[in-house]
């Protein structure tokens, strides 16, 4: 991408980039995101009811909120562009705030205790899969000449947990906002067919419930899509898929730390310049990852201190709040999506991401069979 279209990934910089946004513009932008988020929740709740007696019942029930949110955001994007308000209101879209808050709240449901039953195979699968797929995506992206920051976002998204991992990587490498939107769009585009494809293939291949769940949890890039696909595959598959995906989610922080160090000390360092200080490393580090880890620890300790029913009820409230923030984030991603960014990026990011998805599927299937074939739910 040309330097003339470069913007930073911080919300503060976004406000500064928009010529003198007024308080009214910011408030109006936030209000628009909230309204479209409410519309998303309305469709998510009511479309399955509307389709209950139609041949589309199963499809309608399986479609998750990211689909509605991004679609509604894209429609809003087009409308605002036509009436000339998109740039004026963009300071209020606040994509990063919404999604980072959602990721922190996600940590509360990453209960380390529930991972014990499948901790070893899930962790082995997560480590091998993340290392292999991240390495392939980074290598292939380099071969096709992708920008290092976009390579980092795509590699993190496809190998760990989709948009959440891309956001964490963006903070670590100081990626541009259009790169975040591009990576998020690719995640959604590839995740949607996987909701239906992987359960069907698991049935065709005759995979056990545990193997099917491990394959689904290790390969689909969004937690919501994993839940949808796992539910289609069966309750036992859903349990394993959730554990495997949770294990991958827990490794977001590790990857963020590694990327922060790599870009600070190697990629962005000028030849002959002094080594980056600890202060610079800290400034780059995506601090919301610490919130994610803290929420996980607090959630685990809290669930140990209360009865199961009370704990489940409170975690459900947090998960619902997390869903709201992620809905707002996906709506904002749709509102900020730029066709100019797509045209400038061209076919290469799609080729890299698509190839990585294929590698992820093949390696993930092999690891799932190897590690979970004798696993009893």
């Amino acid at each position: 991408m040309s330097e003339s279209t470069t913007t930073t990934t911080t919300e503060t910089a976004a406000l500064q980039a928009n010529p003198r946004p007024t308080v009214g513009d910011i408030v109006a932008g936030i209000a628009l995101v909230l309204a479209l988020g409410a519309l998303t929740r309305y469709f998510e709740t009511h479309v399955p009811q509307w389709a209950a007696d139609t041949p589309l019942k199963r499809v309608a029930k399986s479609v998750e909120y990211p689909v509605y949110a991004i679609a509604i955001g894209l429609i809003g994007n087009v409308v605002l562009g036509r009436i000339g308000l998109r740039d004026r209101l963009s300071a209020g879209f606040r994509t990063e705030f919404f999604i980072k808050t959602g990721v922190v709240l996600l940590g509360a449901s990453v209960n380390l205790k529930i991972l014990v039953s499948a901790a070893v195979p899930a962790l082995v699968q997560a480590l091998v899969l993340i290392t292999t797929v991240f390495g392939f995506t980074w290598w292939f992206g380099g071969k096709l000449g992708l920008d290092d920051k976009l390579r980092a976002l795509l590699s993190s998204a496809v190998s760990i947990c989709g948009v959440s991992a891309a956001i964490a990587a963006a903070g670590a490498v100081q990626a541009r906002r259009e790169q975040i939107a591009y990576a998020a769009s690719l995640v959604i585009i590839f995740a949607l067919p996987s909701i239906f494809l992987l359960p069907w293939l698991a049935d065709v291949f005759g995979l056990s419930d545990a193997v099917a769940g491990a394959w689904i949890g290790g390969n689909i890039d969004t937690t919501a899509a994993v839940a949808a696909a796992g539910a289609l595959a069966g309750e036992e598959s859903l349990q394993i898929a959730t554990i495997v995906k949770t294990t991958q989610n827990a490794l977001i922080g590790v990857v963020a730390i590694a990327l922060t160090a790599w870009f600070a000390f190697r990629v962005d360092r000028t030849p002959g310049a002094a080594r980056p200080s600890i202060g610079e490393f800290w400034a780059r580090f995506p601090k919301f990852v610490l919130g994610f880890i803290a929420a996980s620890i607090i959630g685990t300790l809290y669930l140990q201190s209360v009865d199961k029913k009370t704990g489940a009820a409170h975690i459900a409230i947090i998960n619902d709040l997390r869903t709201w923030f992620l809905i707002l984030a996906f709506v904002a991603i749709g509102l900020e999506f730029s066709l100019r960014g797509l045209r400038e990026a061209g076919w290469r990011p799609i080729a890299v991401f698509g190839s990585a998805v294929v590698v992820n599927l093949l390696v993930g299937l092999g690891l799932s069979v190897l590690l979970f074939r004798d696993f009893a739910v």
Side-chain angles (χ1 to χ4, degrees):
M1 295 186 181
S2 64
E3 291 298 325
S4 62
T5 61
T6 298
T7 57
T8 61
T9 189
T10 65
E11 298 287 3
T12 301
L15 293 174
Q16 294 171 346
N18 189 18
R20 296 185 180 180
T22 66
V23 173
D25 292 337
I26 297 172
V27 171
I30 295 174
L32 176 64
V33 174
L34 292 173
L36 296 182
L39 184 61
T40 296
R41 207 68 193 262
Y42 178 82
F43 279 121
E44 180 195 21
T45 303
H46 288 82
V47 168
Q49 297 176 9
W50 297 337
D53 298 322
T54 72
L56 297 176
K57 177 177 69 173
R58 188 175 180 181
V59 175
K61 189 176 180 179
S62 301
V63 174
E64 294 287 324
Y65 64 84
V67 183
Y68 297 116
I70 284 198
I72 289 171
L74 288 172
I75 294 172
N77 187 330
V78 173
V79 172
L80 290 177
R82 292 294 181 96
I83 62 179
L85 288 178
R86 181 178 175 276
D87 290 339
R88 181 177 173 182
L89 300 182
S90 63
F93 294 161
R94 315 301 284 177
T95 306
E96 285 184 273
F97 171 77
F98 293 134
I99 203 161
K100 288 178 180 179
T101 304
V103 171
V104 170
L105 293 173
L106 170 65
S109 64
V110 181
N111 186 351
L112 303 180
K113 185 178 180 180
I114 70 171
L115 301 179
V116 173
S117 61
V120 174
L123 184 59
V124 170
Q125 175 171 329
L127 289 173
V128 174
L129 200 58
I130 288 173
T131 302
T132 303
V133 177
F134 188 101
F136 170 81
T137 311
W138 181 266
W139 167 80
F140 193 38
K143 286 291 184 181
L144 293 187
L146 296 189
D147 174 80
D148 283 345
K149 295 177 180 180
L150 182 57
R151 287 167 72 192
L153 266 60
L154 296 182
S155 299
S156 300
V158 73
S159 66
I160 308 175
C161 57
V163 178
S164 299
I167 291 293
V173 307
Q174 299 181 339
R176 298 187 289 272
R177 296 178 76 195
E178 65 266 24
Q179 292 176 326
I180 300 173
Y182 192 88
S185 300
L186 286 178
V187 168
I188 299 301
I189 288 170
F190 280 89
L192 290 180
S194 298
I195 293 174
F196 308 98
L197 181 62
L198 263 64
W200 175 73
L201 288 176
D203 186 55
V204 170
F205 295 156
L207 303 181
S208 68
D209 289 337
V211 172
W215 193 33
I216 290 169
N219 283 271
I220 299 180
D221 289 324
T222 72
T223 303
V226 166
L232 290 176
E235 181 62 29
E236 294 183 349
S237 294
L238 174 60
Q239 293 178 27
I240 297 298
T242 301
I243 291 173
V244 171
K245 177 52 63 179
T246 298
T247 304
Q248 287 189 337
N249 289 345
L251 295 175
I252 294 175
V254 176
V255 175
I257 292 171
L259 285 173
T260 299
W262 177 259
F263 272 76
F265 288 93
R266 295 292 299 274
V267 176
D268 292 339
R269 185 183 176 193
T270 304
R275 292 177 64 83
S277 65
I278 296 298
E280 181 177 347
F281 180 86
W282 174 249
R284 284 172 169 266
F285 182 73
K287 299 171 187 64
F288 75 96
V289 173
L290 299 179
F292 171 87
I293 296 171
S296 178
I297 295 172
I298 293 170
T300 300
L301 294 175
Y302 174 74
L303 290 176
Q304 291 175 344
S305 67
V306 298
D307 63 88
K308 186 175 181 180
K309 184 177 180 180
T310 301
H314 290 168
I315 290 297
I317 293 172
I318 294 175
N319 285 342
D320 189 61
L321 184 60
R322 178 195 76 201
T323 298
W324 269 107
F325 274 101
L326 292 180
I327 284 174
L328 298 177
F330 284 122
V331 166
I333 285 172
L335 288 170
E336 290 187 320
F337 192 72
S338 171
L339 286 177
R340 181 178 62 183
L342 275 176
R343 288 193 294 267
E344 290 177 348
W347 60 270
R348 293 176 299 167
I350 300 175
V352 170
F353 198 91
S355 300
V357 167
V358 173
V359 171
N360 199 17
L361 286 171
L362 295 177
V363 176
L365 178 59
L367 287 171
S368 299
V369 172
L370 179 65
L371 297 170
F372 285 89
R373 62 173 179 242
D374 298 322
F375 190 88
V377 179

